Amino acid sequence: MSEVVFSDKYSPLFEILSAWDEIQRLKSIEDPTKEDIEDLEYFTKLSKVSTVNISGGRDSGKSFALSCFNIIASADYNHRILFTRQTMTSTRDSIKEAVINRMELLGRDNEYDYADHQFTLSNGEQGKITITGQKTSTGTQTARLKSLENYSIFETEEAEELDSCDNWKKIKRSMRASDVQCLSILCFNPPTREHWIADEFYEDIPEGYNGIKNGVLYIHTTYLDNGKDNMAEHNWLEYEALRLSYEEVVNTPIEKRDLLPNKLLKEYEEYKYSILGGFKLKADGVIYPYFEIGEFDHSLSSKGFGLDFGSNDPDALTRVAVDHKSKKIYIKEEYFKNNTSYEGLRDILIDRVGYKDSITGDCAERRLIKDLKRDGLNIRKCQKSMPVKDQIKILGDYTLIVCPHSPNLKKAFNNYRWHDKKAGVPNHDYSDIMDSWRYEAYDLINPRSGMF
């Protein structure tokens, strides 16, 4: 067995496995020392952890440390581990191979059997590692995860791909083992500040925090923690070169940073977000990379509402105004909610829009548009004469100004990306509210006659 050394930042992850036993041992000491008392306080704090967040940038070693943890937790502490990703598709075999490599490295490969995507202990103990996806390969359904009550650790690799806090919590709450400490572990490269992980766990947590707060164990590492000997030399040299650019920008007064070369600023951002693993202001490759936050201009005459219909997805209503002279588009979120009945949506439109102002709706929902028109609303279907990618290109030439009181709209702007840029197909995520304002904005820029 090779000697495996981890950064001290991972110590709490491994120490949590023995927290219950250490508490009992320390409580049994008749004349405890100051160190014993401090240890009891520490392990008591660890014993109350229910969620572990492991974050970091490239080559931080987080996946390596976690996979080693899984083997020790299952073999030595009888944990039943559900190892998941959003979808597995073709990655399950590579994950299996990685687990086997860690077992060999730790000298534990002869202790497990593998069948049906599951590693079980050969000695008949309960400890196991099950590899599965939280959703099907199409990404449209939650996978059937049965008999979860006996699992003790619910683990999500690449957790930044998870689109719903509620779905994550449903599985977490299904872990009901009582013989060992139940844990939910999120391992991720920090996404944008708009992501639910940031909302749920990092509102008051500083960048790079390591410690325990409100029952959550935070572990954040970088390539510097992993060490030069544990990565390819060319990667180390590249990261160190980027570090110099990063430090040059940091040492430049904020008011003078706009004067720095674009290349330097780009390298600063790459080091800060990709290498150090900071939360991004926006996702990589967003469709509308530039937008401003500003109050909606109600004085403009060229204005209306855009509406994208939903069922399981939200109904999205946005208010839009175009300043043709200065080429500015103002956008404000008016309604964003799913499972709204027809009558409920109609009443919302009457209240927010009224009968006079125009609404441009999703042309795929002709029947709904006709019903709303029959009920007196000034609604018509959106134009389909130009492909979506070309509409997006036209709208991208305008200055886009988003109302500050539009939380879902701001989140969408920071995360709306291409699914297939060459084919001109945006990702479905965040498309509801982004489509809604596009319908109306394009209609205002390219007016046409008639309701249909």
Side-chain angles (χ1 to χ4, degrees):
M1 182 184 91
S2 302
E3 182 181 9
V4 181
V5 180
F6 301 102
S7 165
D8 291 343
K9 292 178 179 178
Y10 287 107
S11 295
L13 177 66
F14 290 90
E15 289 167 345
I16 204 170
L17 294 171
S18 59
W20 287 6
D21 292 337
E22 283 298 300
I23 289 171
Q24 295 304 314
R25 181 185 69 80
L26 292 163
K27 282 184 174 179
S28 67
I29 297 175
E30 293 184 4
D31 188 18
T33 64
K34 180 181 179 182
E35 184 178 349
D36 292 332
I37 294 171
E38 290 174 350
D39 285 347
L40 178 59
E41 182 179 340
Y42 171 69
F43 281 106
T44 299
K45 203 171 182 180
L46 273 180
S47 72
K48 295 178 180 179
V49 167
S50 61
T51 300
V52 180
N53 288 344
I54 303 176
S55 61
R58 293 178 187 169
D59 277 311
S60 61
K62 57 187 181 298
S63 295
F64 177 83
L66 184 58
S67 59
C68 291
F69 165 85
N70 288 340
I71 295 160
I72 294 170
S74 57
D76 296 342
Y77 294 89
N78 210 32
H79 274 284
R80 286 79 69 193
I81 301 168
L82 188 68
F83 180 99
T84 73
R85 284 185 179 172
Q86 172 85 339
T87 56
M88 277 296 175
T89 59
S90 60
T91 61
R92 186 178 264 122
D93 287 341
S94 63
I95 293 168
K96 170 191 169 185
E97 184 178 349
V99 173
I100 291 173
N101 288 340
R102 305 298 179 264
M103 288 177 177
E104 292 174 349
L105 185 66
L106 295 172
R108 315 297 292 262
D109 48 309
N110 293 325
E111 299 179 31
Y112 288 85
D113 296 320
Y114 181 80
D116 298 327
H117 311 303
Q118 184 169 263
F119 290 94
T120 55
L121 288 169
S122 305
N123 61 10
E125 293 291 335
Q126 290 187 69
K128 62 183 177 181
I129 305 170
T130 303
I131 303 171
T132 188
Q134 291 189 34
K135 287 191 176 182
T136 62
S137 59
T138 61
T140 57
Q141 303 177 1
T142 301
R144 294 183 179 179
L145 301 174
K146 298 179 180 179
S147 304
L148 301 183
E149 291 85 353
N150 191 42
Y151 281 92
S152 55
I153 296 178
F154 165 42
E155 204 168 275
T156 306
E157 181 84 350
E158 298 182 0
E160 69 273 16
E161 295 180 354
L162 298 182
D163 56 10
S164 169
C165 183
D166 289 340
N167 288 339
W168 170 74
K169 283 183 176 179
K170 284 178 185 177
I171 303 176
K172 176 191 175 185
R173 290 167 179 165
S174 298
M175 307 288 138
R176 299 170 187 164
S178 57
D179 58 318
V180 286
Q181 185 173 342
C182 285
L183 298 170
S184 177
I185 302 177
L186 293 167
C187 184
F188 59 93
N189 298 313
T192 71
R193 277 285 173 188
E194 304 294 342
H195 197 281
W196 69 263
I197 290 178
D199 288 340
E200 185 77 10
F201 298 109
Y202 288 88
E203 184 176 352
D204 299 316
I205 300 296
E207 291 281 350
Y209 175 73
N210 284 271
I212 300 172
K213 188 173 182 179
N214 299 326
V216 179
L217 170 61
Y218 295 87
I219 299 174
H220 184 88
T221 56
T222 71
Y223 77 102
L224 295 168
D225 298 300
N226 194 17
K228 184 178 180 180
D229 294 338
N230 295 318
M231 66 183 72
E233 184 178 7
H234 68 274
N235 283 344
W236 175 269
L237 294 174
E238 179 189 353
Y239 302 160
E240 285 295 278
L242 289 171
R243 179 173 62 83
L244 296 177
S245 298
Y246 171 81
E247 290 176 350
E248 183 175 347
V249 174
V250 169
N251 292 325
T252 300
I254 294 176
E255 64 272 13
K256 295 183 179 180
R257 289 183 186 177
D258 289 342
L259 302 175
L260 294 173
N262 287 335
K263 182 176 184 294
L264 188 67
L265 294 172
K266 188 175 181 180
E267 290 175 348
Y268 159 83
E269 290 192 355
E270 183 176 1
Y271 188 79
K272 180 177 181 179
Y273 300 121
S274 297
I275 310 304
L276 294 185
F279 279 96
K280 303 171 185 176
L281 296 178
K282 62 182 67 177
D284 294 330
V286 292
I287 292 176
Y288 300 100
Y290 305 108
F291 68 96
E292 299 176 7
I293 301 297
E295 294 296 335
F296 190 89
D297 190 345
H298 292 275
S299 68
L300 294 170
S301 58
S302 181
K303 58 187 177 184
F305 293 81
L307 175 63
D308 190 75
F309 299 99
S311 50
N312 293 328
D313 293 327
D315 291 298
L317 176 69
T318 48
R319 184 188 297 264
V320 181
V322 177
D323 185 335
H324 298 278
K325 186 176 181 179
S326 62
K327 295 199 72 172
K328 293 181 179 179
I329 299 175
Y330 294 85
I331 315 163
K332 181 181 179 183
E333 176 184 330
E334 288 290 344
Y335 185 76
F336 188 74
K337 192 175 181 180
N338 56 6
N339 298 318
T340 304
S341 66
Y342 171 79
E343 291 78 11
L345 179 60
R346 179 197 61 201
D347 293 344
I348 287 290
L349 294 176
I350 293 171
D351 178 61
R352 305 288 174 89
V353 181
Y355 293 105
K356 183 178 179 181
D357 289 340
S358 66
I359 305 170
T360 304
D362 182 359
C363 64
E365 298 290 348
R366 295 186 178 186
R367 182 175 177 179
L368 274 172
I369 289 174
K370 288 182 177 179
D371 288 344
L372 291 169
K373 182 176 172 60
R374 179 200 62 207
D375 285 343
L377 288 156
N378 182 14
I379 186 170
R380 61 181 175 183
K381 66 181 182 179
C382 64
Q383 298 186 53
K384 292 288 285 184
S385 58
M386 179 177 285
V388 171
K389 65 176 181 178
D390 294 331
Q391 292 186 21
I392 288 173
K393 185 177 180 180
I394 290 172
L395 298 176
D397 288 336
Y398 284 68
T399 298
L400 305 175
I401 302 173
V402 178
C403 175
H405 311 296
S406 303
N408 294 295
L409 186 59
K410 289 189 290 183
K411 182 176 182 179
F413 264 100
N414 283 327
N415 291 277
Y416 186 53
R417 294 178 286 181
W418 293 107
H419 172 69
D420 186 339
K421 187 173 183 179
K422 187 176 181 180
V425 180
N427 195 311
H428 178 71
D429 296 338
Y430 306 101
S431 64
D432 313 278
I433 200 163
M434 297 302 284
D435 283 344
S436 70
W437 73 263
R438 174 174 59 82
Y439 299 152
E440 180 63 20
Y442 181 73
D443 216 54
L444 292 171
I445 292 169
N446 296 272
R448 37 68 189 278
S449 60
M451 293 301 294
F452 290 92

